[in-house]
Amino acid sequence: MTIGIDASRANVAQRTGTERYAWEVIRRLLPMLASHQIRLYVREQLRDDWPALTPNISVRVLSWPPAILWSHLRLSWELLWHRPDILFVPADTVPLIHPSNTVSTIHDVGFERWPELYRQQSVQRRLGWLRPLVHLAVRVLTGGQYGATERDYHRWSARQAVRSCRTILTVSQFSKQEIVQTLKADSQRIVVTYLGVRQPDHFAAVTADRRQTLLSALGCQRSFFLFLGRLEKKKNIDLVVAAYRRYRRQQPNPADLVLAGSPGYGWPEVVKSLADPELARAVHVLGWQPDEVVDVLQVAAVALIFVSQYEGFGIPALESLSAGVPVLASRHGSLPEVLNGAALFVDTGDIDEVVNGYRRISLDQRLRHRLIAAGRQRVRSFTWSATAVATARVIMA
């Protein structure tokens, strides 16, 4: 049997979110499917960090077109002429041409519940002056139902996946319920495969010398709260900073705040508030950081601040628990399900509750010890090997 796998998301330098999921799952799937022929579809040559490939694995480098609808144009063309028996797509962008035996993953449907948290810009930003024409063409072809915006692309892709895939994978019971409710999907065709996280022994390898050297180089020698993820509205980055400002004004000797992640939708508005001299000294904006830096930040933080408006799963929260660091989390979305009492939950609609959360999670030692112990126990339920085993079971069903 021939199994095709869209590995384009896994074959990138900066693996966050869907890219991290694709990377962790695909490289564990390959040995599990050793008795079958595997085709990996990528946009460019495999990066050096891929494991050695066995003879049953072939790589199809589909390098054109480089910018425009790669999945729907280039991957579809490949599948038209060389169709595998099964196709696995670890994101909801299923190519227009694909085998009926296709399995795809929808991570969440935040674009349905919170449309204002997504860009209204064209999904194909490199088209320049052609973008308005493409937007108009999409409107006409879809009878006005969709445009060429980022949000509409997510909406259309998810609906197409629900209509055409044999099975949909998702990452939490919360996301499954959301897919059923918003996309009118058949719950019998949706399988929850929880994600994995790095376990405590991974973070135990962060030595004191490595920690001190790296934090000094980053200018983060004082104690600090950590925000980890894309700096965007969906992650409530404006609330993270606004609540921190109030906490800082109320608390003697307050901890700093470190923001680690790439800028996203809504970040420019937050940047303006950081011009305040008081915040400029205390808030460290590091941008995207590689895993070896993130590991140190997670181990060294006073707490992780993870008060997203909407999450399908929440890897950073679980991995901070794995690092022995308590988490201040939103009680919305999947986080209560995934963290299951191992975090301090707050209502993101009440900034005073979030401010108090900053204070409690940093000062209440009994609370901190309880959360750390509960977190270390909780993370043992989430391993990438278990995710891969569950995924292989669905693919081969």
Side-chain angles (χ1 to χ4, degrees):
M1 184 179 293
T2 300
I3 302 172
I5 300 177
D6 179 357
S8 60
R9 296 293 188 97
N11 194 43
V12 296
Q14 297 185 10
R15 299 183 180 110
T16 60
T18 303
E19 295 82 11
R20 167 86 179 277
Y21 160 77
W23 165 248
E24 297 286 3
V25 170
I26 291 173
R27 65 194 181 101
R28 288 172 172 82
L29 273 178
L30 297 180
M32 297 180 187
L33 304 175
S35 60
H36 303 279
Q37 294 299 309
I38 307 297
R39 294 176 189 161
L40 299 179
Y41 305 112
V42 292
R43 302 181 189 221
E44 55 191 13
Q45 294 293 335
L46 288 186
R47 297 179 56 81
D48 293 340
D49 55 357
W50 280 84
L53 302 184
T54 51
N56 68 308
I57 302 172
S58 61
V59 179
R60 303 293 178 91
V61 180
L62 313 176
S63 57
W64 65 265
I68 304 173
L69 300 175
W70 179 85
S71 294
H72 296 306
L73 298 180
R74 185 62 184 94
L75 184 51
S76 285
W77 182 259
E78 173 69 18
L79 297 176
L80 174 65
W81 295 103
H82 307 285
R83 182 166 299 202
D85 299 299
I86 302 172
L87 177 67
F88 172 51
V89 181
D92 57 18
T93 307
V94 177
L96 288 173
I97 298 173
H98 58 272
S100 58
N101 198 353
T102 293
V103 175
S104 180
T105 305
I106 298 178
H107 295 261
D108 68 62
V109 288
F111 44 85
E112 294 289 343
R113 291 298 194 192
W114 297 92
E116 66 274 20
L117 303 182
Y118 288 79
R119 296 181 192 274
Q120 293 304 305
Q121 295 179 0
S122 172
V123 73
Q124 295 295 335
R125 302 186 191 105
R126 301 182 192 179
L127 294 179
W129 62 272
L130 285 174
R131 279 184 294 179
L133 296 179
V134 172
H135 184 76
L136 178 61
V138 172
R139 282 286 185 201
V140 171
L141 291 172
T142 62
Q145 187 175 5
Y146 300 106
T149 64
E150 181 179 295
R151 183 217 172 200
D152 279 357
Y153 186 75
H154 282 301
R155 292 178 63 225
W156 180 82
S157 296
R159 282 167 167 74
Q160 187 215 11
V162 166
R163 284 194 307 268
S164 63
C165 289
R166 182 250 294 172
T167 306
I168 295 294
L169 302 179
T170 195
V171 298
S172 62
Q173 292 295 338
F174 167 79
S175 281
K176 178 176 179 175
Q177 292 168 8
E178 289 284 273
I179 293 167
V180 171
Q181 291 176 9
T182 63
L183 304 182
K184 311 305 179 188
D186 178 0
S187 64
Q188 298 301 311
R189 293 173 47 234
I190 304 174
V191 177
V192 173
T193 53
Y194 284 116
L195 304 186
V197 296
R198 297 182 176 99
Q199 295 296 302
D201 56 349
H202 171 87
F203 294 97
V206 177
T207 65
D209 286 345
R210 176 183 167 196
R211 170 176 165 173
Q212 182 176 356
T213 300
L214 194 145
L215 293 178
S216 179
L218 294 173
C220 301
Q221 294 97 325
R222 288 174 44 82
S223 62
F224 61 85
F225 297 104
L226 175 64
F227 171 87
L228 184 60
R230 188 176 294 277
L231 308 177
E232 63 183 357
K233 283 188 175 183
K234 190 169 72 166
K235 302 292 186 182
N236 257 338
I237 188 61
D238 50 346
L239 174 64
V240 171
V241 173
Y244 174 73
R245 182 201 295 268
R246 290 198 191 182
Y247 151 82
R248 186 170 183 82
R249 288 175 176 172
Q250 298 172 9
Q251 183 63 39
N253 193 29
D256 286 355
L257 174 64
V258 170
L259 308 177
S262 301
Y265 180 53
W267 173 241
E269 288 81 2
V270 180
V271 169
K272 295 175 184 177
S273 69
L274 297 179
D276 181 329
E278 179 187 8
L279 288 184
R281 291 191 300 270
V283 179
H284 309 267
V285 182
L286 304 184
W288 178 87
Q289 295 295 325
D291 286 347
E292 56 268 24
V293 175
V294 172
D295 289 349
V296 172
L297 292 174
Q298 287 182 292
V299 168
V302 171
L304 179 78
I305 309 302
F306 205 70
V307 291
S308 302
Q309 190 69 31
Y310 193 97
E311 286 286 342
F313 187 77
I315 289 177
L318 276 174
E319 290 197 336
S320 287
L321 295 180
S322 193
V325 170
V327 174
L328 180 68
S330 163
R331 62 169 58 100
H332 306 296
S334 67
L335 295 178
E337 171 192 347
V338 172
L339 300 177
N340 193 30
L344 175 60
F345 293 100
V346 292
D347 181 357
T348 57
D350 185 344
I351 190 171
D352 291 329
E353 186 174 337
V354 180
V355 173
N356 189 49
Y358 271 95
R359 187 181 303 109
R360 286 188 63 201
I361 206 163
S362 59
L363 297 178
D364 187 335
Q365 294 303 314
R366 180 176 297 180
L367 171 67
R368 288 177 57 82
H369 292 154
R370 178 177 66 78
L371 294 178
I372 290 170
R376 284 278 174 83
Q377 185 65 30
R378 181 61 177 162
V379 297
R380 299 186 190 283
S381 301
F382 301 94
T383 68
W384 286 114
S385 294
T387 307
V389 167
T391 304
R393 189 179 298 123
V394 172
I395 290 173
M396 301 308 301

